[in-house]
Structures are given as structure tokens and as C-alpha cells.
Amino acid sequence: MRYILHIADPGYSSWSMRAGLILARFDIPHDLVIHRIYENPPLPMQIGLPPARTVPVLVAPDGTVIRDTLAIAEELASRHPDLPLWSADPALRILARSLAAEMHASFTALRSRCPMCLRVAYDDVPVPDDLAADLDRLEVLWSDALDRSGGPWLAGEWSVADAFFAPVAARIAGYGLPVGPTAAAYATRHLQDDAFVAWRVSGLREGADLHETVYRQPYPRREWPKEIAAKR
Ligand SMILES: N[C@@H](CCC(=O)N[C@@H](CS)C(=O)NCC(=O)O)C(=O)O
């Protein structure tokens, strides 16, 4: 019995990546259906599961359709109580849920100014005040979580909270964003994680080079980093 996860361009769709990493990291049997965000027919028609409008969309083995990454994570946790999707420890579970919820609802400057792109990395990216504020908040959240849990992931073992911040690590890497030593080490952990690396490989292979069109950036390009150096 397998799940079907509808995603879009894995090199660019950060919400797809979050859901895909959760399924991959917890070895939940699934197949991917890959759509193209900026091709016709429009994405909702490609998905073909109205009223689903965005990706990811998960179809459970019993045919139930689940929309929105947070709802997908919660439903997977309900259907697989044996798996520590949110951590098995009650206090760390609350921590993981709080972190994922804040990521889901916030960080608008980071998300709009630095769209995820797993194909190229940039130098000399400006950091206006709203982006700097988002980076400051990351430092606070990540340091607090790693202190409480003892690491190496936000809630100790890898959890949904880490899935939600994996595309943030990709943005820090791709845009060379200035972070301190704790955030740099945590983001590097993502870059070197097998599931992250496998997702990035599919992102390099699948679909058009959107960074040459809709996501084109005016900054000089550099090689994708293997690790992130602290810049604060
Ligand atoms: N709140 C949604 C956001 C999903 C989302 O915005 N997905 C993007 C791809 S990363 C999308 O489908 N964009 C197409 C569109 O907005 O038309 C979630 O958590 O799943």
C-alpha cells in the first residue's frame, strides 16, 4: 500500500521538498508524481484533484486526498503513530510542532527574496533589513531548539521540524546568507544529509532551468557549497 505524493519541479518547489523529505526520511512507501509549476495546463489541472491548487498533495493508500504540507505532516503522524514524525518525547514534540508552525506561517522576506533554487548558488546577495530580521529569528529558533534537545537535529532526532527548515538551509547555501556558527553548522547538516542530497539530485535532473527564467537572479554565480561558513 503506497502513498502518492504530487509535487512540482523538485529543484525549486520548497513545499514539495518538505513533504518529500518526510516520506523519504521515515521510509514511508510512496511514489512521486511530478508536475511543472510554470507550464500548461495550469498546476491545479495537472494535479487533477480539485480543489487542490498547490503542491504538495498527498493521496493516501485508501484514496484520501490531503492538501497542505502541515496537514500532510499531521495526517502522516496520525496514520503512523509508530514513527516519531514529531519526536517521541512529549516536550520535544511540542518544540517540533511549534517550529514547523512558525516556519509555515512566517519568514516571508526570506521566502520571497530568496526563492529556493537547488541548481545554482549566488554571491554578493544583498541583505535588506526584513531579510536580516528573518535570519536573526532563525538564529534564535535554531539555537534555542538545539540547546533544549541537545541536537543534532532541532528536536534531537530528525523530525518534521527539520523537514520544514531544509529548504531554508538550501536558501542559506544558495544565496550565501550570513548566519552565525550554530545556524551554519545546522544548515550544513542538511546539505550533507542523504535524503537532502538525493532530493537535490532529482532537482538537478527534473524539469526546466527556472533560474534562467521566472526565478532569474542578478547576482554572480558560484558553485553549490558543500558546507556553510559562519559569516557573523
Ligand atoms: N501552504 C501550502 C503552500 C504550498 C505552495 O505554495 N506550493 C507552491 C510550490 S512550492 C505552489 O504550488 N505554487 C503554485 C501556485 O501558487 O500557483 C503548503 O504548505 O503546502
Side-chain angles (χ1 to χ4, degrees), residues 85-98:
L85 267 81
W86 289 110
S87 168
D89 176 277
L92 295 177
R93 193 163 62 230
I94 293 167
L95 176 66
R97 280 198 158 108
S98 303

Side-chain angles (χ1 to χ4, degrees), residues 51-224:
R53 194 170 57 86
T54 59
V55 286
V57 179
L58 185 68
V59 183
D62 63 8
T64 306
V65 176
I66 307 140
R67 304 188 304 274
D68 195 286
T69 315
L70 202 46
I72 288 170
E74 289 293 3
E75 186 58 22
L76 285 171
S78 298
R79 286 177 181 243
H80 299 275
D82 50 318
L83 299 176
L85 267 81
W86 289 110
S87 168
D89 176 277
L92 295 177
R93 193 163 62 230
I94 293 167
L95 176 66
R97 280 198 158 108
S98 303
L99 287 163
E102 184 164 341
M103 175 65 245
H104 194 252
S106 318
F107 296 100
T108 45
L110 177 67
R111 283 154 61 182
S112 59
R113 291 189 184 278
C114 306
M116 190 182 85
C117 171
L118 300 179
R119 293 196 177 177
V120 290
Y122 301 102
D123 263 334
D124 305 333
V125 176
V127 181
D129 288 350
D130 56 354
L131 179 55
D134 276 355
L135 296 176
D136 287 346
R137 182 65 184 160
L138 281 179
E139 301 273 357
V140 169
L141 290 183
W142 290 355
S143 299
D144 173 77
L146 293 166
D147 277 353
R148 285 174 196 270
S149 71
W153 297 100
L154 293 174
E157 297 303 311
W158 195 95
S159 74
V160 170
D162 301 294
F164 272 57
F165 284 105
V168 172
R171 286 169 160 107
I172 292 171
Y175 292 86
L177 299 176
V179 291
T182 302
Y186 172 69
T188 297
R189 185 171 290 281
H190 278 287
L191 298 193
Q192 298 177 353
D193 183 63
D194 287 349
F196 183 107
V197 171
W199 187 273
R200 182 163 176 257
V201 167
S202 77
L204 293 173
R205 289 191 185 134
E206 282 287 339
D209 276 335
L210 298 181
H211 60 277
E212 301 296 7
T213 55
V214 277
Y215 293 134
R216 190 170 180 84
Q217 303 291 342
Y219 318 121
R221 294 183 183 181
R222 64 182 162 84
E223 210 176 313
W224 183 265

